[in-house]
Every structure is written in C-alpha cells, then in structure tokens.
Amino acid sequence: MAFIKRKERSKERFSLLLLDLEEYYFEQHTVYHVTTSSAKKRKIRGSLKVCSKSIIFEPEDHVEPILKVCFCVYLIKENNVVAPYRVERGDSTFLFHLEVSSKTEDVVQTLLQLHRASCLDKLGDQTAMIAANLQSRLARTSFDKNSFQNVSEIPHMECEAEMVTPLVTNPGHVCITDQSLYFQPLNGYPEQVVRIELHRVKQIYKRRHGLRPLGLEVFCTENDFCSDIYLKFYKTSDRNDLYYYIATFLENHMVEHTAESYMLQWQRGHLSNYQYLLHLNNLADRSGNDLSQYPVFPWIIADYNSTELDMMNPATFRDLSKPVGALNKERLERLLSRYRDMPDPRFMYGSHYSSPGYVLFYLVRVAPEHMLCLQNGRYDNADRMFNSIGETWKNCLEGATDFKELIPDFYGNDPSFLLNCLSLDLGKRQGGSSVQDVVLPPWAADASDFLQKSQKALESQYVSEHLHEWIDLVFGFKQKGSEAVAAHNVFHPLTYEGGIDCDSIEDPNEKIAMLIQILEFGQTPTQLFTTPHPQRITPRFQSISRTPSVNTPLNDEDSSFEDLTEETRRLAWNNIYLSPPDSTLKMFSRESNGLQRSMSFSNMVLNECMNWYFYSIPFGRRQDTLMGHDDAISKMCWKDNQLYTASWDSTVKVWQCDSADIANNKRCQFQLLAEFEHEAGVNTINLNPAGTLLVSGTKDGTVTIWDTSSSVQLHQVHCHSGKIHDVAFSPDSRHILSVGEDSCLKVIDVQTGMMISSVQADEEQRCFCWDGNTVLSGGQSGHLQVLDLLSNKVTTRIPGHSGAVTAMWMNEQCSTVITGGEDKQIIFWKLDC
C-alpha cells in the first residue's frame, strides 16, 4: 500500500489529523503546552502545527494525547492508542509557550488571519481567504538552494506546488536541476526537503487531480503503485514544463509506454494480469496517493462457500463482461426501471465502484487513522465494517447502493489488511461479537492462503480469456456513452473526466462544494481504449518452434505428402494458390523426387495473367480458360464452391462454382457474387478457417478485413510503408499477420482492427505460416526463420533457397512444410515434433 509505506518513512506521530479535505498544514514550532490539571502545573514539550482550519499540538511523549483545536477540542491517540477521537467541549483555554519567543508575534498574526477566515459564513469565502493566505506565504518564500546535494547542480526551473498524500496536501516549492528533482514543503513535513535523483526515475505520469490537469507522479520503481512523489501544481503549464524536462532527460534510458504497448506485452505473456492491471491504473490516473482515484481491481472469484476452490469450473468466477451492478438480474431490473423514469442527467448507479470510503473500508485495519480522519473521528457501525469477504461479496450483489470493486491488495503479498494486528477496538456487532480479523471463505486456510489463491485465480485461464471484457467496462469503450448504457455501466456524470469543469464555476461556494463531491464520491478512470480490447493470445500449438531437421529434403519413405488422387482432389482445390515465376504449371512426384508434369498456359508469367486456367489433373490437360480481371491475378483462394480472386486491378472478386463439375471434367458456369474494391492493386488475400472473413493486402501497404457473407468492409488498416507480400489469419481467427516490403511483420486484432504488434525483421520477409504465436517465414535471402512473437525473438535460422522464398505451405499437423523460391526450386521439409 503506497500511503502505508510513505507513512512508515515518517519519523513523526502526526499523520492524518486534518478533518477537512483541502486543509493545509502551514508551519510548525517547538512549544511547551502548560497544563494545570490536578492542581499541578506541568509543561509538556512538543510541536505546534498551524493548519488552515485548526492548530494541532503533538507532544513528544507519546503517552500524552495529541490536541486538535478548532471550534471544539479533539483529544487524539490518548495513551498512544488509535481510537475514536474524544471531544472536549466548553470554554477550554490552552496555554502554549514558544521555545523561541521572537516568533510569538508571527504565530499570533497567522492564527488571527486563519480565525477570521473560519468565521466567514460561506465555505467558498473561507476557502478563498485561506487560499489567498497560502499564495501570499508561497510568494514571500522561495526554494532554499542550500538544499542542493551538489554545489555544481544547475537549476532549470522553480515553481509552487503541493505534495499529495492520502487526504493531505502539503504546499511548498519545487525545484528541478540537471541532476535532481526537489520539493521543499513550507512546514518541513515529512522532511525538510524531498530529493529524487533524475537518473533513478523509471516512469513519470501526468495526473488529473480533482478532474483538473494539475498532477505529476514520479516512480523510481516501475512495477509498483508506490510512487516516490506526487505533485499537484497550481498551473498546468508548470506541470507540463516539468514533465517535458524530465522526459527529455530520460529519453535515452526510459521507454515511454502507452496503453497499446502494455496491451501488446500482456497479450504476448510478458506481463501478468496483475501487472497489466497496475499499468492500466497508472495510465488512467489511478494513484495510491489519491484515495479518490485509488487503483481499482475486479472481483474475480464468485464462490465464497465451497471448501475447495475449483479453478477449472467457470462458475467459480465472476462474469467479467458485466459491472458489479449488473451481476444480479433482479437488482438490475429495479435499477433500470428507476433509470428510465429519471430526468436528465440520468444515471443507473448513485454510488461509484471506487471511492475514498470504499478504499478505507478495506484498509481500516492497517490505516485506522485514515478512517477516523475521513469519518470525523469515528469508526463506522460495526455491522457495516469489513467483517467478512463472503458477506461483502453478497452485499455487492444484493445491496441497493453497494457496487464496489476491489483494490490491488487483494492480489498482493501482504495479508495484514485482513488481520487486526493492531488490536483495534472496532466495535461490537449486533450478535455481541467484536470486530477482529476478516472472516475468510472456507477454501482459505488463512489470510496468506487466501491471497495466494486469489493471485492464482487472477492469473487463471478463465480470467486471462475474459479480462479484456472487464477492461472494456472500466478503462475502455464501454466506460461511458451509448456503449455504457448497453453494458449497464452508467455512473453519475460527476465521476467522469471532463464531466464537471470546476474552473468554469464562478460561484466560489458552488465551486468548493463541487470539488469536495468530486474528491469524496470517487472518479471514473481516464478512458484508455475507444474500441473493444483484444483478447489475450493463447497458444494453439508449439511444434513449429522446435528445431527442425531441415538441412536436406525429405526422404522417400516419408509419406506425409501424398500424390494427388481422386480422394485428395477436393483438398487440392481448397488449397489452390497460383504464383509461379514463369508461364508453366509444374507437378512434382514425391516418390521419384522428380518433375511429373509440365504445362504451358500462355506466353506470360502466370502470376501476371488476367485469366484463370483450369487444369485437369487426371487427364493432364488445360480444361478451361476464363477472363475475370482487367489486370494480373495475384492470388486465388477456394472455399466451399466459391472462388476468391485478387488482382492488381484493385479488386477482389467472389465467384460461385461447383468444384465437382471441374473435378468431373465438366465445363461450369461461374457466377460473380461480390466485388471488393480497393484503392490500390491487391497483392494477396487470405480466408479465415471458417470462410466467414477475408483479408486483403495491397500494393500501398493497406490491410482490409471483409465480411464474406455481407461483403461489408469491417476494418482498414494502413500498416506497411510498401506493398504487402503475404497475409494470413491465425488458426482461431482472432488475429491477422502481414509481411511487407518494409521488412516489418504486423499483427492486427480482427475484432477491433487495432494494430497490436510491429516487429522489424532483419530482412524483407516474403511469405509465412503461423499458429498465432510462432511464425515460420521465408525471406529475401532465401533463408527460413522461426520467430517467437511472444518474446519478439528469432529462435531459429535455416539456410534454404539461393534466392528469395516466394511461397510456403504447411500441413495441418505442422509436420511438413513445402517452400518455393526464385531459385526455381521446391523443397520439402520435415519438422521435428
């Protein structure tokens, strides 16, 4: 937990005693609190902290309570026990002696100014006067350059900002040099100066704070949500200048990640589900330092009653395609009925899935002071506390106003948030039992076992296959708008980015009230994806990635490639691809390893012909010639009595014909069913295994996906800088791979049309076969290579042809490969399985 770690670094007992959001901690002084209790005068040494709406005395003796004085007096942590605050009312008088008496007048003046602000009737006026006092203080001070670690440091810029921690912001001065980033708080808390060496920075993120673009968070550890500092600026321009300076400094050794780059790493298996969700939270402005935008994780497990957790049973898991509010059909119907009758702006869920109250609901046992601060010095009712994981899940399914998701701690390694290790008095439930450790489900032996099984569930096959659906809801295209309505994912518009512009509200009272609502209500993450998120890639077969014995052609006794017989003619038509380098069609015998037949069709190279030539295998002669295009036919596919022809005339045409007529030596009539028009010549096409989709690659580097049943263009992606040599669907039809003249291999998600991977090869690749993860490709040099898309590495290089490899075929068992090249050779290869 980010804020717990930060709190542990503090040497002071004072942490979260500000009862109002946006209350500032201005300064501190060493004082003596003079008491006359029990007719005995005592002087208690401690620290007097002057805040914008209160003063706080923290004694050095931890047995003595902390005093907070506003309109009444709060006694906090008496006998150093975290417990609900005790309020002492009446005309109490407190006497403090400053250790340095010369500061007394300044402290009195400050207190008088803040007291005048507190006496104003309207909250907006109070806030405006306090803000003016703060800006005056910042203007009268500057960063103390004596704090530089090195005298040779060159300052680049200095500005005012606030350091953000959960429920507390500390105003001060920021200074950045050619070596370090510094923050110097006005109050010297938690340190006189916070320093971060720039060479240690791994990631920086711009943040929105209170729905305003003012935040900047700096990480020196990449795979964690515990940042080293979170700064909130008063001007967006200051934030941006600092960001670009650090980014420029880091550009040589820091990789800038986007949602798409993380998505690709996740799809390839380089990131776990847990790591990917952390990165998405970071990119979407979720921070461990901002309780109103704390990282959000999904409920995964739906079974909290069984004694064993069956990870192979889909019923064990929550439906990730629906938000929590839509998991219970009966409750959803009630919410929909209310939604239909509601005036604009309409919303389905009146509470959010993440808010400061929900975060501290889960973390009350490790952050009790935060809960007391948020709830005016009291714990929640004992029956409403986080008592049981099963009960909490049940209430999220059935409660009228409870739609909360989880936090990363449920999938971490620290079970302390489930245990009452501090022996806190959290109250008694209606049955008389006191609130202690969280009650675990029957399948968990203890808290550590619960976390281990939760982690296993998060990384399970089921969740890996469906996590993209939850990402669509929280970070993606179903987050808001019409898709959100269809997904029953409609939250109050106040939670959305840009839904409320506080700066456009002129009335100061309305403005501060809106800001408090934003901070307390919770905020929807910044939208990262506007199209459906692709599913994670799961391997279908791995044999192609093993080292093949390919130095010599196949032996004669191998029978995996059979001669064309009556039984296999249909297979031959289903796999017909014409791209020979001359005007002849040649047939080779596997048994004799020699040329069996050769037939000349025209005086043109066959892959530049505009006609179709039908050849009778049994009779060894040309059977028919048809005219179909205005330019060369580049590729043909046959599927279920339909012929698909691609041409340099910028079209793909679909023809209906009965292959049985051709096989039986009959002349048949071809009927044009559809024509797919392109803006450039079509160089290659491919059908998915079901024949429902067609992909085309053109000379200008564009990949187009078509629905064959409706002849509708689904997606068009310009992904290569030169012509496309080859395209193919993965066996599961989820992805398309293309290779082009630019020596790049591109992976495209079929559902969204999003390019999710780009691999730069060391030479131009002309053709390939792939299983969705592993690619066997033929290059311009004549070599074959095996490329693992998950690791982005070439695992095997195979000497093959003396010229470019122009054609490749692999059988369904992935045991045999046939390649053809510009060296006029056809080679049969045997793969070791």
Side-chain angles (χ1 to χ4, degrees), residues 631-632 634 647-650 678-684 696-702 718 720-725 741:
D631 205 337
S634 54
S647 171
W648 292 349
D649 66 3
S650 304
H678 299 70
E679 296 180 359
V682 183
N683 215 41
T684 182
S696 57
T698 62
K699 289 185 174 183
D700 68 353
T702 301
H718 186 78
H720 291 274
S721 58
K723 70 179 178 182
I724 296 175
H725 291 309
E741 204 171 33

Side-chain angles (χ1 to χ4, degrees), residues 576-602:
I576 182 169
Y577 301 104
L578 297 182
S579 56
D582 56 23
S583 62
T584 62
L585 175 69
K586 295 181 171 64
M587 291 185 63
F588 293 86
S589 168
R590 215 91 189 276
E591 296 178 355
S592 63
N593 268 347
L595 178 66
Q596 189 176 33
R597 292 174 185 167
S598 178
M599 177 69 183
S600 179
F601 287 101
S602 71

Side-chain angles (χ1 to χ4, degrees), residues 134-177:
L134 171 62
Q135 292 303 315
S136 175
R137 284 170 169 270
L138 290 171
R140 294 196 308 269
T141 57
S142 62
F143 182 84
D144 182 4
K145 293 181 175 57
N146 290 323
S147 300
F148 284 171
Q149 185 76 11
N150 193 321
V151 294
S152 64
E153 289 187 61
I154 302 173
H156 171 69
M157 67 173 288
E158 180 182 340
C159 62
E160 293 80 33
E162 298 171 6
M163 186 174 72
V164 178
T165 55
L167 303 182
V168 177
T169 57
N170 277 357
H173 296 275
V174 171
C175 183
I176 189 166
T177 72

Side-chain angles (χ1 to χ4, degrees), residues 482-615:
S482 58
E483 295 90 354
V485 176
H488 310 305
N489 196 37
V490 185
F491 292 89
H492 194 286
L494 178 68
T495 66
Y496 290 120
E497 177 184 19
I500 300 293
D501 182 6
C502 287
D503 293 330
S504 66
I505 301 175
E506 296 182 359
D507 184 273
N509 299 297
E510 184 181 344
K511 184 174 182 177
I512 190 64
M514 186 61 67
L515 179 61
I516 290 174
Q517 285 187 60
I518 290 171
L519 295 177
E520 291 183 346
F521 191 81
Q523 298 163 48
T524 296
T526 301
Q527 190 173 29
L528 301 179
F529 306 101
T530 56
T531 56
H533 190 288
Q535 191 176 25
R536 193 169 197 177
I537 297 172
T538 52
R540 286 302 184 94
F541 60 87
Q542 296 294 337
S543 59
I544 192 172
S545 64
R546 300 180 187 174
T547 304
S549 55
V550 294
N551 293 327
T552 58
L554 287 174
N555 296 325
D556 291 346
E557 60 268 20
D558 192 295
S559 60
S560 60
F561 182 85
E562 299 177 333
D563 196 4
L564 292 174
T565 62
E566 292 293 330
E567 188 176 340
T568 59
R569 285 175 192 162
R570 182 180 58 82
L571 180 62
W573 278 108
N574 283 341
N575 292 279
I576 182 169
Y577 301 104
L578 297 182
S579 56
D582 56 23
S583 62
T584 62
L585 175 69
K586 295 181 171 64
M587 291 185 63
F588 293 86
S589 168
R590 215 91 189 276
E591 296 178 355
S592 63
N593 268 347
L595 178 66
Q596 189 176 33
R597 292 174 185 167
S598 178
M599 177 69 183
S600 179
F601 287 101
S602 71
N603 58 359
M604 296 178 64
V605 174
L606 282 183
N607 60 3
E608 294 180 359
C609 287
M610 297 177 286
N611 300 337
W612 312 333
Y613 299 100
F614 295 92
Y615 181 78

Side-chain angles (χ1 to χ4, degrees), residues 227-358:
S227 69
D228 287 72
I229 194 168
Y230 185 157
L231 296 172
K232 171 193 168 188
F233 294 81
Y234 299 107
K235 299 177 183 177
T236 302
S237 58
D238 286 343
R239 190 276 304 268
N240 292 343
D241 288 345
L242 196 70
Y243 174 87
Y244 289 120
Y245 181 82
I246 298 177
T248 302
F249 179 89
L250 300 174
E251 63 183 358
N252 294 326
H253 70 274
M254 186 186 79
V255 178
E256 184 170 353
H257 292 287
T258 62
E260 287 75 18
S261 67
Y262 279 130
M263 176 185 69
L264 179 57
Q265 291 184 55
W266 172 73
Q267 278 201 300
R268 291 179 176 182
H270 291 187
L271 291 176
S272 66
N273 293 339
Y274 177 83
Q275 290 171 325
Y276 185 43
L277 289 175
L278 270 189
H279 287 310
L280 292 185
N281 273 281
N282 257 328
L283 290 170
D285 290 318
R286 315 299 290 188
S287 167
N289 282 307
D290 185 353
L291 294 184
S292 67
Q293 297 189 94
Y294 199 78
V296 56
F297 269 56
W299 284 97
I300 292 294
I301 299 170
D303 179 5
Y304 296 98
N305 298 315
S306 301
T307 55
E308 297 290 334
L309 198 61
D310 184 1
M311 300 285 186
M312 303 304 295
N313 184 2
T316 297
F317 300 95
R318 165 257 184 104
D319 184 350
L320 289 164
S321 69
K322 298 176 182 177
V324 170
L327 293 175
N328 183 330
K329 187 176 180 181
E330 294 181 1
R331 181 178 65 174
L332 178 61
E333 286 302 321
R334 294 194 298 270
L335 293 170
L336 283 170
S337 177
R338 186 188 68 174
Y339 175 81
R340 297 185 191 102
D341 297 334
M342 188 181 295
D344 289 331
R346 295 190 294 176
F347 55 87
M348 195 170 302
Y349 309 127
S351 64
H352 205 240
Y353 50 74
S354 177
S355 68
Y358 287 160

